Amino acid sequence: MEIAILLIIVAAIFITRSIKVVPQQNAWVVERLGKYNSSLAPGLNFLIPFIDKVAYKHSLKEIPLDVPSQVCITRDNTQLQVDGILYFQVTDPMRASYGSSNYIVAVTQLAQTSLRSVIGKLELDKTFEERDIINAQVVHAIDEAALNWGVKVLRYEIKDLTPPKEILLAMQAQITAEREKRALIAASEGRRQEQINIATGEREAFIARSEGEKQAEINNAQGEASAILAVAEATAEAIRVVAEAIRQPGGQEAVQLKVAERAVDAYSKVAADATTTLIVPSNMTEVSALIASAMKMVSATKTN
């Protein structure tokens, strides 16, 4: 009975040491008599008891690693407190087991030294502007060395960049000055645009007034010309009517009578003025001679 129990115990130990079930996204490194033999894939695996041994177990998942905060000095001798996070993945279980005694510590230390080297090549302002470039350079520097450790560095992200308090105050003062400068520039541009708009409005108003005055003068001139033309046409029409009347029978006698009446009226008006001295011709035939001269002129005009 005791022998049977002993055999059962030995068989259970044998089965336990020979059958291994590896979880998904894991890799186990097997040593045979102290030497690397194989890497077990996920699923059911069989080993030789007491000869094969699972020496290392690795997770093949992406691993986030918090890189401790450290002080870095920029190119312009400014201290920065920098911390970040590193993402890596085990790609070769054998190298991860034998390439380094502790690949996590190795990757962490290399990330810190690479970050100090990259920050030291940049000025303070560039470190805030070029985070993507810093991250890419750190990943490139770590990835080359991490290949010997069976590790693939996926990305590095800077979580925080903290300059000294004095630098922060100076940066805040600079930002305030820049904002005030932009505000002054915006205000001056507004005043400039306002003056331009006022000048443009005044110019357009002056042009409009001058155009109105010009049009008014043109209209007045056209009105005066039309009035003069109408008067001239009326005068010409009157003269034509008079000339036609003179050509009619008895027209000459009517003209003579009209001229005589005008002459008599002219003498009477001159005689009515008390301040005027009137000299009357001694021979009234001179008046008739004057009327005859006028009639000759009318006859000459008619002949022409």
Side-chain angles (χ1 to χ4, degrees):
M1 185 66 179
E2 294 178 355
I3 295 175
I5 294 174
L6 181 61
L7 290 176
I8 292 173
I9 294 174
V10 171
I13 295 174
F14 184 88
I15 293 173
T16 302
R17 295 182 68 90
S18 62
I19 298 176
K20 299 295 181 182
V21 178
V22 180
Q24 184 66 32
Q25 286 295 97
N26 282 266
W28 292 0
V29 175
V30 176
E31 292 181 351
R32 177 169 292 175
L33 300 177
K35 183 180 179 182
Y36 172 77
N37 180 60
S38 63
S39 298
L40 301 182
L44 182 63
N45 296 272
F46 296 95
L47 303 179
I48 301 176
F50 305 105
I51 296 178
D52 293 339
K53 180 185 71 171
V54 176
Y56 301 97
K57 295 181 179 181
H58 299 287
S59 174
L60 303 181
K61 298 177 183 178
E62 183 176 338
I63 301 173
L65 178 62
D66 190 13
V67 179
S69 177
Q70 63 176 332
V71 176
C72 301
I73 299 178
T74 63
R75 184 178 179 181
D76 50 355
N77 296 324
T78 302
Q79 293 184 353
L80 284 177
Q81 193 77 21
V82 185
D83 63 343
I85 185 168
L86 184 69
Y87 297 87
F88 69 94
Q89 186 178 24
V90 175
T91 56
D92 190 339
M94 191 272 286
R95 287 177 180 266
S97 301
Y98 304 105
S100 174
S101 60
N102 191 331
Y103 61 84
I104 294 179
V105 175
V107 169
T108 302
Q109 294 295 323
L110 186 57
Q112 289 182 313
T113 56
S114 300
L115 181 62
R116 286 196 297 268
S117 176
V118 173
I119 294 290
K121 298 177 182 178
L122 300 174
E123 296 181 354
L124 177 62
D125 294 338
K126 295 295 183 180
T127 58
F128 296 99
E129 299 173 0
E130 301 181 355
R131 286 197 179 192
D132 293 339
I133 297 177
I134 296 174
N135 296 337
Q137 291 181 355
V138 171
V139 169
H140 179 72
I142 301 174
D143 199 37
E144 289 183 353
L147 290 176
N148 296 326
W149 306 331
V151 175
K152 173 66 176 177
V153 178
L154 302 176
R155 60 188 180 278
Y156 178 81
E157 296 291 340
I158 295 176
K159 292 195 298 184
D160 193 17
L161 286 172
T162 307
K165 183 178 180 181
E166 295 79 7
I167 301 297
L168 281 176
L169 293 176
M171 293 173 64
Q172 291 175 355
Q174 182 181 3
I175 293 173
T176 302
E178 287 292 334
R179 289 178 178 174
E180 291 177 352
K181 176 183 176 182
R182 288 197 295 268
L184 291 175
I185 292 174
S188 63
E189 286 293 334
R191 290 193 297 269
R192 173 175 172 271
Q193 190 62 42
E194 179 184 5
Q195 294 175 357
I196 291 174
N197 292 340
I198 292 174
T200 303
E202 292 178 350
R203 180 173 63 86
E204 292 178 354
F206 177 78
I207 292 173
R209 286 195 300 269
S210 63
E211 289 292 336
E213 294 174 357
K214 174 184 176 183
Q215 190 62 40
E217 292 179 357
I218 292 173
N219 293 339
N220 293 333
Q222 290 178 349
E224 293 177 357
S226 299
I228 293 172
L229 181 60
V231 172
E233 291 177 351
T235 303
E237 182 64 21
I239 293 173
R240 186 184 64 80
V241 172
V242 171
E244 290 293 333
I246 293 173
R247 293 190 185 96
Q248 299 298 323
Q252 292 289 335
E253 291 77 5
V255 171
Q256 293 176 2
L257 178 60
K258 193 67 176 177
V259 171
E261 289 178 355
R262 290 293 180 90
V264 173
D265 289 340
Y267 275 107
S268 62
K269 289 180 180 179
V270 173
D273 190 355
T275 60
T276 303
T277 302
L278 178 63
I279 301 174
V280 180
S282 58
N283 188 3
M284 293 301 296
T285 57
E286 294 181 0
V287 176
S288 60
L290 179 61
I291 294 173
S293 298
M295 290 305 300
K296 289 181 180 180
M297 292 178 63
V298 170
S299 300
T301 302
K302 180 180 177 181
T303 303
N304 294 332

